[in-house]
Amino acid sequence: MGFKYLLFCLFLLSTTATQLTAQKPVQYDASETYVALQKLNTLFSVLYVAAHPDDENQRIISYCANTLHANTAYLSLTRGGGGQNLIGKEIGPLLGVLRSQELLGARSIDGGQQYFSRAIDFGYSKHPDETFTFWNKDKVTSDVVRIIREHRPDVIINRFDHRSPGKTHGHHTASAMLSIEAFDLSNDADQYPEHLETLSLWQPSKIYFNTSWWFYGSRDKFAEADKTNLTTIDIGGYYPLLGISNNEIAAQARSMHKCQGFGSGTSRSSRQEYLELIKTADPTLTKEITQGINTTWSRVPNGEPVGQLLQRIIEDYDFKKPTESLSDLVSLYTLIEQTGDPYWRNIKLQELQHIIQSVTGLYLESTTETQIATAKDSIEVKIEATNRSDQAIVLHSYKLSNQKTPVNQNVELGLTQENVWYESLTLTRNPSNHYWLNDKAEYGTYFADQEQIGKPQNSPHLTVDFNVSILGKQMTFTRPVVSMDVFPDKGEVYNPLALSPLASVSLVDDVYIFADDRSQDIVVNVESMTDNLVGSLSLDMDSGWKVDPARVEISIDKKNQSQRVTFSVTPPAQQSKTSLTPTLSVGNEDITTQVSTVQYDHIPTQVVVHEAQASAVRLQIKTLENKKVAYLMGAGDQVPDCLEYIGYTVDIIELDQINQVDLSQYQAVILGIRIYNVNEKIEAYQDLLFDYAANGGNLITQYNTSRRLKAKSLAPVPLELSRDRVSDETAVVTLLDPDHPAMVKPNNITTQDFDGWVQERGLYFPDEYDESLVPLLKMADKGETDKYGSLLVMQHGEGYFVYTGLSFFRELPAGVPGAYRLMANLISLGSQE
């Protein structure tokens, strides 16, 4: 897909809610303008519903947006913070920020919009009953109802089956169940009446389940299934005006989910999708998606004249000279203003504004060179208005959102004459974060004000209203103030304008491990976000822990300069865990937050203000003398850093370099998570790794998913992965062989070492394996059979091979003591000490 089409979709996206706020204003070319006119002539709305970023079917979303010209949106109940990250170190809320932006990027390609509920992704859930014990079901139901009332879908499409609890991820089934409930609740005035202060009741016409062979168990079973109630859609259509097919659009939208490794190949042939009709508001409605739904302008009061004029504009459209349509487009604007449905009136006026702007080449932009500002900073905003046509356009005034009165100009915008003005201002608003992270969440759901619920991201901090008349018709165009800089290797780069506290305080690490009672130096970095910062810094922790000095004076002259402060922290004698909170006192303000950026080439840079906390853990742990470990990274994790916390020397080795390294020097070689899923070379080096173990080494393989494996076997003996997992982090763990070396040397492992685990016990356990692999643990989620594959150990020649699905990659960064003790034992296997 060409870059121009990406911009086309970005532009379309901005016509409804604030979706992508950091983008250069662009215009459609003549073909794209014609497509936009067809969309303008269609009044049809679709809402796709699922649980996570990357759950959505981009083929269906693109089909609805680009074939049916529907006002299409995806509601993801969560932001995906419970997942993993294949491209960086963000996890938890920061990962949710990254995945939210990836979803917005996907929608910018397939033509949809994006919504979210307040539900938090807490990791894998096996049943919707479990899901609803974490989520506040009433709040999440309210969110789904609210978004239906806001988006007003004629058709809802669920990605998952509401009738299959326990057969797939509990979040998946829960999303479909909530959607089915909300289908009726959204038209009930007694349900969530607080919505009705700003929204109206709405009854969708139909709700579907987007089924496929996967839900039937196999392609053969699906081929034999009764499809009487299924609607078949060919989503392989080609769009000649755009020079791209629906499947190509969908593949590129899918590939935006880069942190989940969802790069997708492209199909250019016919392909079928299936929709099962679940429920209708009217028994006369049939399974065909648009049957019985008026998608023309006649569905709104005073709409028929709009449709008649618009049809004539489409028929007379001149691809070589689109401005020939301008007079009729301006008349159309007045007709749409006179229609009687505020929902469609607002949507279509915004769509028409973009069409008029593209026809005239009118360029309106507001930028600043500042990306991060504080309440003390004065920033300069550049305001530009350029008319690139010979049509009569006048800029009457512009008004920044923090100004009380507009700045009058009454300037006729001559052909290609650049008009630029500058405004200096101070942003007096409080530091802003992504709205769902501004307050501590209730367990299971984020906090959000009613007017924010559903929004994919913050509204712009600052906007400019351009009051313009075109052929005598006054219109107001609103543009966000965005940061723009020019780089030699990238050209113009646009990012959102962010507001921050006066300083950022941060700890170097997320967790500090004390393997004994000796003091450690802990460094706090203070970065000034403004000039002339003066304050004092302390490091707060629980009683029983000691810190020296108690307070340090801070003085930083220039913005972006830093001062590093070292505190000496002494742990208690007994095993203990505390939170470390750096606190910077500036005047009457205490700053305990860190300003972080989530920065990748495929998303606008995100500035996140979050609590600057870390954990300190006093362990009762023993390690052996040989502390040299080799680590081969897979999808990316923090395990190497965590091992260094307890005294190991960890050499990170590239896979294709291990034949140049003497592996015998290492007590253990550890394979990072999902290495068998992400590294194409792993199979070529397996024999070398297995030989290392056979010659007296200790090879530890961490979890991999059962799909897309890059090798036929993951062990020197038969071993088959399953989808077995134990998602309850408090599930009972039984030691099957308490006297095994992995359980006793150098730390005596007991069931207490499984206290305090986070999110899960483990995942993708092997369920079939050679008898030489000895299971050491037994565990199960409530109501399920025991799982034995979480930790398998075998002697291989003179050494050891370990396969573990335990979630060390979560537990070690979280400072879970037992996880450190058990990992130390696994590393020590085969040691003669």
Side-chain angles (χ1 to χ4, degrees), residues 408-624:
N408 293 322
Q409 294 296 337
N410 294 317
V411 175
E412 185 171 344
L413 302 180
L415 175 61
T416 66
Q417 177 183 342
E418 184 180 61
N419 300 276
V420 175
W421 301 269
Y422 293 91
E423 296 285 338
S424 294
L425 54 99
T426 300
L427 298 171
T428 57
R429 292 174 56 180
N430 292 328
S432 60
N433 198 5
H434 293 71
Y435 75 83
W436 62 95
L437 301 178
N438 271 331
D439 292 90
K440 290 187 177 180
E442 173 186 310
Y443 190 64
T445 52
Y446 290 114
F447 172 84
D449 294 331
Q450 283 293 316
E451 64 272 15
Q452 295 172 320
I453 292 170
K455 288 184 178 181
Q457 62 181 5
N458 289 0
S459 298
H461 300 305
L462 190 64
T463 59
V464 176
D465 288 342
F466 293 84
N467 183 14
V468 174
S469 65
I470 300 176
L471 299 186
K473 177 65 180 178
Q474 288 205 15
M475 305 175 192
T476 298
F477 295 83
T478 301
R479 292 287 176 267
V481 175
V482 296
S483 167
M484 192 275 281
D485 207 346
V486 179
F487 296 91
D489 57 335
K490 297 179 181 179
E492 294 179 342
V493 174
Y494 289 75
N495 283 303
L497 172 64
L499 305 185
S500 84
L502 298 177
S504 169
V505 292
S506 61
L507 291 143
V508 175
D509 296 308
D510 294 328
V511 62
Y512 295 86
I513 302 298
F514 292 75
D516 51 41
D517 57 6
R518 288 178 294 183
S519 300
Q520 286 188 32
D521 286 344
I522 293 182
V523 175
V524 178
N525 188 63
V526 180
E527 180 180 1
S528 180
M529 310 307 291
T530 188
D531 293 335
N532 302 316
L533 179 77
V534 176
S536 62
L537 179 71
S538 62
L539 184 61
D540 302 328
M541 59 197 72
D542 293 341
S543 60
W545 293 73
K546 298 178 182 179
V547 60
D548 183 52
R551 186 168 291 274
V552 176
E553 297 304 310
I554 300 294
S555 180
I556 303 176
D557 294 334
K558 296 293 184 180
K559 180 177 182 178
N560 297 328
Q561 289 182 343
S562 298
Q563 182 175 335
R564 292 168 67 87
V565 177
T566 300
F567 293 92
S568 178
V569 174
T570 306
Q574 68 279 10
Q575 186 160 292
S576 176
K577 185 174 183 179
T578 185
S579 292
L580 303 176
T581 304
T583 301
L584 178 66
S585 299
V586 180
N588 295 324
E589 181 181 0
D590 285 341
I591 298 171
T592 60
T593 51
Q594 177 178 349
V595 179
S596 299
T597 58
V598 179
Q599 189 168 6
Y600 295 93
D601 286 343
H602 66 295
I603 64 168
T605 297
Q606 301 297 298
V607 177
V608 185
V609 182
H610 57 99
E611 287 298 314
Q613 284 190 341
S615 297
V617 182
R618 167 66 167 98
L619 291 180
Q620 298 289 350
I621 188 172
K622 297 177 183 178
T623 57
L624 300 184

Side-chain angles (χ1 to χ4, degrees), residues 216 218-228 230:
Y216 286 76
S218 71
R219 296 183 187 275
D220 291 339
K221 290 181 180 179
F222 185 60
E224 297 171 359
D226 179 10
K227 299 183 179 62
T228 304
L230 301 187

